[in-house]
């Protein structure tokens, strides 16, 4: 439960410094899928069943990316693409992502667009 989140947060703190300390900078891109935000927005996917407030605290204390890209789409579109979720589960996750207060720059993109269009939008933001 909470031990899983704490272990993950400590791994971020030390792992980021150890592995990325020398390469972070203006000319470097580091891509991470879901970051630590998953503990607050999709806790079941990471087997976190602890207090939501602790997950939000970990998000605020974790290293911050320069930019977070959130792909947003209607729940029925997500369920059609990711069939391991029910419509209710997808709607609940979307609600958590939309309510999540992220401590850095956030770009919310229309996830119904093609991967090529989304990739171009993201690359354009980084230039």
């Amino acid at each position: 439960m909470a031990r899983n989140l704490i272990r993950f947060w400590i791994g971020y703190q030390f792992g980021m410094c150890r592995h990325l300390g020398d390469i972070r900078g203006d000319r470097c891109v580091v891509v991470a899928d879901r970051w630590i935000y998953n503990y607050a927005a999709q806790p079941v996917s990471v087997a976190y069943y602890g207090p939501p407030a602790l997950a939000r605290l970990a998000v605020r204390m974790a290293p911050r990316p320069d930019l977070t890209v959130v792909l947003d789409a209607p729940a029925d579109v997500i369920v059609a693409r990711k069939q391991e979720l029910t419509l209710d589960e997808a709607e609940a996750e979307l609600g958590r992502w939309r309510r999540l207060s992220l401590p850095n720059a956030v770009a919310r993109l229309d996830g119904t667009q093609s991967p090529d269009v989304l990739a171009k939008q993201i690359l354009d933001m980084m230039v």
Side-chain angles (χ1 to χ4, degrees), residues 10-53:
I10 290 170
Y12 264 144
Q13 293 294 331
F14 293 105
M16 288 289 295
C17 292
R18 190 175 82 212
H19 296 294
L20 301 178
D22 294 337
I23 63 170
R24 288 192 70 198
D26 293 340
R27 301 178 63 86
C28 180
V29 175
V30 177
V31 177
D33 181 24
R34 300 181 195 164
W35 203 243
I36 197 167
Y37 305 147
N38 228 23
Y39 281 85
Q42 297 172 297
V44 173
S45 71
V46 289
Y48 177 68
Y49 303 101

Side-chain angles (χ1 to χ4, degrees), residues 23-88:
I23 63 170
R24 288 192 70 198
D26 293 340
R27 301 178 63 86
C28 180
V29 175
V30 177
V31 177
D33 181 24
R34 300 181 195 164
W35 203 243
I36 197 167
Y37 305 147
N38 228 23
Y39 281 85
Q42 297 172 297
V44 173
S45 71
V46 289
Y48 177 68
Y49 303 101
L54 182 59
R56 290 190 302 272
L57 176 65
V59 165
R60 285 195 304 273
M61 295 178 63
R64 295 180 179 146
D66 296 324
L67 174 67
T68 297
V69 177
V70 177
L71 302 181
D72 200 356
D76 60 325
V77 172
I78 292 171
V79 170
R81 293 181 184 173
K82 188 176 181 176
Q83 292 149 1
E84 68 261 18
L85 297 176
T86 67
L87 187 59
D88 288 341

